[in-house]
Amino acid sequence: MGTDETFDVVVVGSGAAGAMAALRAADLGFKVLIVEKAHKFGGTSAASGGVMWIPNHMLDGDQGDSRASVLEYLDATIGTPVNRERLEGFVDEAPRMLDFLRSTGVQVAAASWPDYFPDRPGARADRSVIVPTFDGRRLGDGRYALMREQYNRFKLFGRYAMDLTETFALMMQSRGWRRVAAKMIARYWKDRSTRRISHRDRRFTQGAALMGATYEQVFKRGVELRLETGLDRLVLDDGGHVVGVEVSNFGRKYAVVALHGVVLAAGGFEWNQALRDRFYPVPGLTRHSSTPEDANRGEALIEAEKIGASTEHTGQGWWIPTMTLPMSGASNFHEIHQAAFDVGRPWSVVVNRKGVRFVDEACGYDRFGQAMVRDHLETGANCPCWLIFDSKFRKKFSAGGLMPTVHTPERKVPADWWDHYVFRADTIEELCRKTSLPVEHVRTTIANMNEYARTGVDPEFGRGMNPYDQMFGDPSSKPNPSIGPIDKPPFYAVPINNGDLGTKGGLRCDERARVLDTQGNPIPGLYAAGNNAGTPFGDTYPGAGATIGPAMTFGYVAANDIARRAGNQRAG
């Protein structure tokens, strides 16, 4: 299997980590190739919320954040041993990565999003960073439709792109939300030139905005991107250095030399059931993941292990509650819907299969998933659990893929959904019979919640009693925006699975993004970033964007280290 192809740097995977590694390496003067096994580029990042957790970013000048307060917060939230040098490396390099990204022409803005542990020392509400809406046509008509598209759940009626402001206005049915929706629809159909090319909205929002703006700069710097090209093997020289990759494209296999380094940025292993069974304490099913179907199968991790790489934090996922519904127009196929905020809305409660609560339902979605795992290990009665709600909730909020009645009235709910995917009854007793939940325990739980709604105080788990919970509550529910009485029939229940946004664990790396072998030594020429690598945060999810922030940071760090080894003085 010969080849004459040579690049300075080969990046495996085209998500946020890979895009940043390629952008920084190309900006430093390297000839860069990105290989992506999918038909679309942008990875899971392009289909995500697109938020970066970048503490101490100083975007609006000195707002009081500092290296010390960031580490104080992380020390107060991380509950498992982590590589301290790598953790501090993230804290130091993340603002530098963001400064570099901005210097290339990518616009960013700080978002008012509370850290996910708002009661811990050092917590703030301004560490999450977003990219404003990007005009996808700027990528060129040949590439505009080739970036991975957002999920239907991130679009109005599965078609119209929504930025975060629009999303929250529609999700909360805030004042003027109908005007917001009408403006989005009108804007889309008035764009006749784009409609002649693709159904896709030219407005790239959330993760698509981040990746569109980043890839505009990647392509400007001459980076080559090859789709439908998967990693088959890492190539070593006689001294054990990684010097290239073997890849395949529609069955054709060939090798590519990497003169200065290979960066693995191919995502995690959430779609590999064998790896889930090997690593997770409660494995769950691949189909409960909310990442692109069958995309992240852990091939790069497996190939790295074959040459001696070690792993870390593999017992953890970036958990998020999900629920399953038939695909619209194709009921034999299913879609996974996130329920990240739905589980903590007023007029609802979540119980395990014993009919009792186990968590502050309005907490961060990763904490919710960790609580599901913990409860299942203790009781064997979780995974799935049940979200129970009344008609007030049904009227205003979604329950995973079940849209509120303003969008999907009862008459429009497909007949095969009822009492198979979504359960409905006129009484709690009948609802329990349909779902096999213990009536007395559920009655007691709901009676308790109704009392908490009256007083505004949840003495069990503190629901709605911190800024994060309240952000996703409903101001009309008083005195606690996250709790409301569950008392207006009909009553509903949907099963909630422990889904994920990817895997927290992966290849063990140092603070320079170098992959480490089982003795803790760097494997020469091999780097990893994003979910292909173990998170610097161990078992925790500190804030919105805590997947993409480190992914881009360590992609940047990897490119800098490659440049330093190559004698490039611009690496910094």
Side-chain angles (χ1 to χ4, degrees), residues 70-94:
V70 177
L71 290 173
E72 179 186 33
Y73 173 67
L74 290 171
D75 288 341
T77 58
I78 295 173
T80 192
V82 297
N83 181 331
R84 186 71 184 186
E85 289 76 18
R86 182 167 162 79
L87 181 67
E88 294 190 14
F90 164 74
V91 173
D92 293 336
E93 294 294 333

Side-chain angles (χ1 to χ4, degrees), residues 319-334:
W319 306 123
I320 190 168
T322 62
M323 63 93 72
T324 304
L325 282 178
M327 187 178 296
S328 177
S331 64
N332 289 341
F333 298 90
H334 291 88

